[in-house]
Amino acid sequence: MKKLLLICFTSILLLSCQSKSDKVRNFVDMYNRSSSMMVSSMIKSSKATSTGPDEITIEVNTDHQGSDDMEGQLITSSFPQLIGQAIKSEKLGQELLDSGVKFNLKIYGADGRVIADEAIDQNKLKGTTQEDLSSIASGNATSSQLNSVLEVFNKNLPMEDKATGTKVISIKADENKNIVYTTEVPESYKKMLEMDGAEQVIKDEMLRMPQIRQIFSRTEVLGVKNLKYLYTDVKGKVIKEITITKEDLK
């Protein structure tokens, strides 16, 4: 028993006496061992490297083709905050942030071009507790916890599609864990939406878009039920509401 206690005590001492460089190396190893879990229809690969005594570089390779569409804007504006919150949720990551370590995040498009290059440190990360992220990862998130993550996107809204003049005003989770997209449309779209049968025509068109299936596949782990699209005029009046369920995709 004495020998066992001595081994345990020695292990605790060794852990508590880890240098910053040891912690940086351990974080890089941990990140790279688990990076395959990030691979999705959007993310091709990701890796971390130690690039200095107080610096870790994280590279994310994506399948994103362009830079001017709304998806590209969301990637460049929201990915850094989301990845930063994931770093913060790990005990080792929080310790490194507290000790002044900077995480350089580089996001690459499908053609290898850098589409986002941002430094993440403790001062940039606000909100979203570890409990929130743990619940979200397990699929047991509440609507308020989902909204704490979606707030990262909402900080960068409204976002306008220059081609159509439509604006995404907000992305929220309602009390039933549906993701609700509120989109403001110009007058020309308002007339079209008010026509008889417009809802079914728009819904059929949306169901043909691969992005809808991708949204469901990416949010399934969050416990998201349905996607709701609220179309409003410039005064905020709802013109049309369209709900898409997983069953609609079958």
Side-chain angles (χ1 to χ4, degrees), residues 3-250:
K3 187 178 291 186
L4 179 60
L5 289 173
L6 180 60
I7 291 171
C8 290
F9 184 67
T10 303
S11 298
I12 292 170
L13 282 178
L14 287 172
L15 286 171
S16 63
C17 293
Q18 276 189 326
S19 66
K20 184 187 291 186
S21 60
D22 290 333
K23 291 181 179 181
V24 166
R25 184 173 61 253
N26 289 341
F27 180 89
V28 168
D29 290 343
M30 177 183 68
Y31 185 93
N32 290 330
R33 284 197 306 270
S34 60
S35 62
S36 60
M37 296 175 64
M38 292 180 62
V39 175
S40 67
S41 57
M42 172 60 68
I43 298 175
K44 294 194 294 185
S45 64
S46 182
K47 70 174 182 179
T49 54
S50 172
T51 48
D54 296 298
E55 188 175 276
I56 293 173
T57 296
I58 295 176
E59 296 179 312
V60 180
N61 295 300
T62 74
D63 277 325
H64 181 62
Q65 299 291 336
S67 58
D68 297 326
D69 61 2
M70 293 181 67
E71 183 179 73
Q73 292 178 58
L74 284 173
I75 288 174
T76 56
S77 61
S78 303
F79 260 35
Q81 184 75 7
L82 288 170
I83 291 178
Q85 294 293 355
I87 292 170
K88 182 181 176 182
S89 71
E90 290 289 340
K91 182 176 183 292
L92 182 54
Q94 182 65 69
E95 289 178 2
L96 290 173
L97 287 166
D98 289 342
S99 66
V101 171
K102 180 175 63 175
F103 293 80
N104 292 321
L105 175 64
K106 295 182 182 293
I107 302 175
Y108 298 89
D111 58 359
R113 182 171 48 87
V114 176
I115 58 177
D117 187 350
E118 186 168 333
I120 298 170
D121 59 26
Q122 182 64 21
N123 294 328
K124 289 192 175 183
L125 301 176
K126 306 296 181 185
T128 309
T129 65
Q130 182 170 349
E131 291 75 17
D132 287 342
L133 290 171
S134 298
S135 295
I136 289 165
S138 66
N140 296 318
T142 63
S143 294
S144 62
Q145 287 171 328
L146 285 176
N147 277 319
S148 70
V149 173
L150 292 174
E151 184 59 30
V152 174
F153 294 96
N154 281 281
K155 286 178 182 177
N156 300 289
L157 298 178
M159 193 170 290
E160 183 176 0
D161 184 343
K162 300 295 184 182
T164 63
T166 59
K167 294 180 183 178
V168 178
I169 303 300
S170 70
I171 306 173
K172 301 284 187 180
D174 65 16
E175 64 276 7
N176 296 315
K177 293 201 287 190
N178 301 309
I179 292 185
V180 181
Y181 294 80
T182 301
T183 302
E184 179 186 294
V185 301
E187 192 66 24
S188 57
Y189 270 66
K190 177 182 176 181
K191 294 177 181 178
M192 181 190 73
L193 288 169
E194 289 174 336
M195 292 174 60
D196 291 340
E199 179 180 343
Q200 191 59 51
V201 171
I202 295 170
K203 185 172 180 176
D204 289 344
E205 189 61 34
M206 293 173 74
L207 290 172
R208 295 188 189 99
M209 299 167 62
Q211 292 92 330
I212 297 296
R213 195 174 295 274
Q214 289 171 6
I215 291 172
F216 270 116
S217 66
R218 293 172 193 168
T219 59
E220 186 173 13
V221 69
L222 307 179
V224 170
K225 304 298 183 185
N226 305 310
L227 304 180
K228 286 188 174 183
Y229 294 84
L230 297 181
Y231 295 94
T232 74
D233 60 19
V234 294
K235 294 181 179 180
K237 179 183 177 182
V238 176
I239 305 165
K240 191 72 65 177
E241 177 179 326
I242 297 175
T243 299
I244 297 179
T245 69
K246 293 179 185 177
E247 286 70 29
D248 290 328
L249 296 172
K250 295 177 181 178

